[in-house]
Amino acid sequence: MALKLNLVALPSHNLKSAKVFAASTMQYSTTRGSESTKRDSYWPAKEVHFQVTHSMPPEKIEIFKSMESWTTKNILTHLKPVEKSWQPQDFLPQADSEGFYEQVKELRERSKELPDDYFVVLVGDMITEEALPTYQTALNTLDGVRDETGASLSPWAVWNRGWTAEENRHGDLLNKYLYLSGRVDMRQIEKTIQYLIGCGMDFKFENNPYNFFIYTSFQERATFISHGNTARLAKRYGDAKLAQICGTIAADEKRHEIAYTMIAEKLFEIDPDATVLALADMMRKKIVMPALLMYDGQDDNLFENFSAVAQNLGVYTAKDYADNLEFLVGRWNVAGLTGLSSEGRRAQDFVCRLPSRIRRLEERAQEKAKQASTIPFSWIHGREVRV
């Protein structure tokens, strides 16, 4: 899980890609449905962007086929064997032990010290993790790296399934913790999960693995930071067990970040022009995080409000967004790329200048920010928190 911040306004046009990518099939949807069906449907509660599919020609697909042996050697090693992996039960009261009720009581006592805004962020994190069916579906739309059969032995498919299996534990663990805490409205949370999976996700990948590996490098790093900050806050509020839970999830996200950034680094080495174009394209669109289309049956702006709480609490901020981009630009040595086309050089210049631009825009936005207000969240029984 990670968050999207709507605090900066960047150009909405995308880099032209006719020289690199084949013609695309485009679809467009702007509404969630009629007002009469709005509350009962799976239409997204907000606009879905201009959708592009299959924007990668066959010669680019061959690049990913040629990377399969490299992927086996360098990427699959970042998956942990199941028998050596942690499981949610390792951190939760033991239901088959005589001390189960005492353990639950202790958990509930610790959770009393956590403020409502913290629970809003923790719930949003959990809901995002629980929407994994959407994310695995998205992985299997990608040209060149999808799981063609559902049980393919391609290293790309093995990674996709293994990554999903590891991530699945995060939602399970947080869900059970929140249920046992007694601090949240689980039915409203469960409705939000069902809505989110039903609405899907507007990733803006274009079925294009270049775009996807840029996205996941950024998103997994954002997730690592977000869970790390919830761990530190839990420790500050006196819940050492929850701090351990969030820290353990953050460590998983860091391992996944390393794998995805290695893939992108390899693409910059093999095909720097297409990769820098993909980086600029995704940053012009802005990285949108997995729970963008979340809805609880009441609040059409639920994700924006959840993100605002996370910003106020310092869990994931506009500064983090700029820092993440700056880190990745440096990690991939984007400034040092050579042999680029004229379009690639423009993309290179745009991306290298972007972190400082984001920071300037954010400073202006903060100066103009209005007095903070409070709004109710159904996840915490309608109690209000500052946004």
Side-chain angles (χ1 to χ4, degrees), residues 4-35:
K4 175 212 172 202
L5 296 161
N6 295 312
L7 299 175
V8 294
L10 299 177
S12 59
H13 61 281
N14 298 331
L15 289 174
K16 295 179 181 178
S17 53
K19 296 179 181 178
V20 180
F21 300 133
S24 303
T25 301
M26 302 181 181
Q27 301 171 346
Y28 189 54
S29 175
T30 58
T31 64
R32 187 170 187 267
S34 66
E35 285 300 316

Side-chain angles (χ1 to χ4, degrees), residues 1 3 121-129 174 226-227 230 306:
M1 190 296 305
L3 308 175
V121 173
L122 196 65
V123 168
D125 287 0
M126 182 272 283
I127 289 169
T128 305
E129 300 282 5
L174 292 174
S226 178
H227 283 297
T230 57
F306 154 59

Side-chain angles (χ1 to χ4, degrees), residues 28-291:
Y28 189 54
S29 175
T30 58
T31 64
R32 187 170 187 267
S34 66
E35 285 300 316
S36 61
T37 62
K38 181 178 181 182
R39 299 297 179 188
D40 300 315
S41 73
Y42 289 113
W43 288 89
K46 52 180 62 63
E47 179 178 310
V48 174
H49 91 296
F50 196 71
Q51 297 179 334
V52 182
T53 58
H54 305 296
S55 59
M56 198 169 68
E59 59 268 25
K60 296 298 181 183
I61 294 177
E62 286 303 312
I63 287 176
F64 291 90
K65 297 295 184 184
S66 73
M67 289 174 62
E68 288 188 352
S69 61
W70 177 88
T71 301
T72 299
K73 181 179 179 180
N74 295 281
I75 301 304
L76 296 188
T77 56
H78 290 282
L79 294 174
K80 284 193 173 182
V82 175
E83 296 303 324
K84 295 182 179 180
S85 295
W86 64 266
Q87 298 299 332
Q89 189 56 66
D90 299 335
F91 302 91
L92 296 165
Q94 303 295 310
D96 57 353
S97 73
E98 292 184 358
F100 174 68
Y101 294 106
E102 288 73 20
Q103 294 169 32
V104 172
K105 183 178 179 180
E106 290 174 6
L107 184 155
R108 292 167 75 96
E109 285 298 317
R110 292 194 307 269
S111 74
K112 288 180 180 178
E113 301 303 316
L114 301 168
D116 281 342
D117 55 357
Y118 182 87
F119 269 102
V120 167
V121 173
L122 196 65
V123 168
D125 287 0
M126 182 272 283
I127 289 169
T128 305
E129 300 282 5
E130 291 281 59
L132 269 168
T134 295
Y135 314 145
Q136 188 168 34
T137 298
L139 292 175
N140 285 329
T141 69
L142 296 170
D143 296 334
V145 297
R146 68 170 62 91
D147 186 344
E148 296 283 0
T149 68
S152 169
L153 297 182
S154 156
W156 294 116
V158 172
W159 168 263
N160 292 347
R161 295 194 303 268
W163 172 84
T164 302
E166 291 192 346
E167 290 279 340
N168 186 64
R169 301 168 304 159
H170 303 170
D172 285 350
L173 177 52
L174 292 174
N175 192 314
K176 291 171 183 174
Y177 173 88
L178 288 163
Y179 169 74
L180 292 173
S181 76
R183 289 286 305 278
V184 297
D185 186 333
M186 286 304 300
R187 192 173 195 282
Q188 280 299 120
I189 291 169
E190 289 159 357
K191 281 173 56 179
T192 309
I193 295 169
Q194 185 176 358
Y195 269 118
L196 181 56
I197 295 173
C199 289
M201 179 61 211
D202 190 21
F203 285 108
K204 307 179 184 178
F205 298 160
E206 305 175 7
N207 310 118
N208 187 315
Y210 286 88
N211 288 11
F212 169 76
F213 291 123
I214 295 296
Y215 175 93
T216 48
S217 297
F218 193 102
Q219 189 269 335
E220 290 293 304
R221 182 168 179 80
T223 303
F224 159 67
I225 291 169
S226 178
H227 283 297
N229 284 332
T230 57
R232 281 186 283 276
L233 286 170
K235 185 176 182 180
R236 183 188 305 171
Y237 296 136
D239 193 335
K241 178 60 73 171
L242 180 57
Q244 183 187 16
I245 287 171
C246 296
T248 300
I249 293 172
D252 267 8
E253 305 292 7
K254 182 62 177 179
R255 182 161 44 85
H256 298 157
E257 175 207 334
I258 291 170
Y260 282 122
T261 55
M262 284 180 63
I263 295 169
E265 183 177 42
K266 188 67 173 177
L267 289 172
F268 273 111
E269 175 188 324
I270 295 172
D271 193 357
D273 208 62
T275 310
V276 76
L277 285 168
L279 174 58
D281 184 42
M282 291 306 296
M283 296 314 302
R284 287 187 185 279
K285 295 170 180 173
K286 292 183 286 188
I287 299 292
V288 294
M289 294 303 167

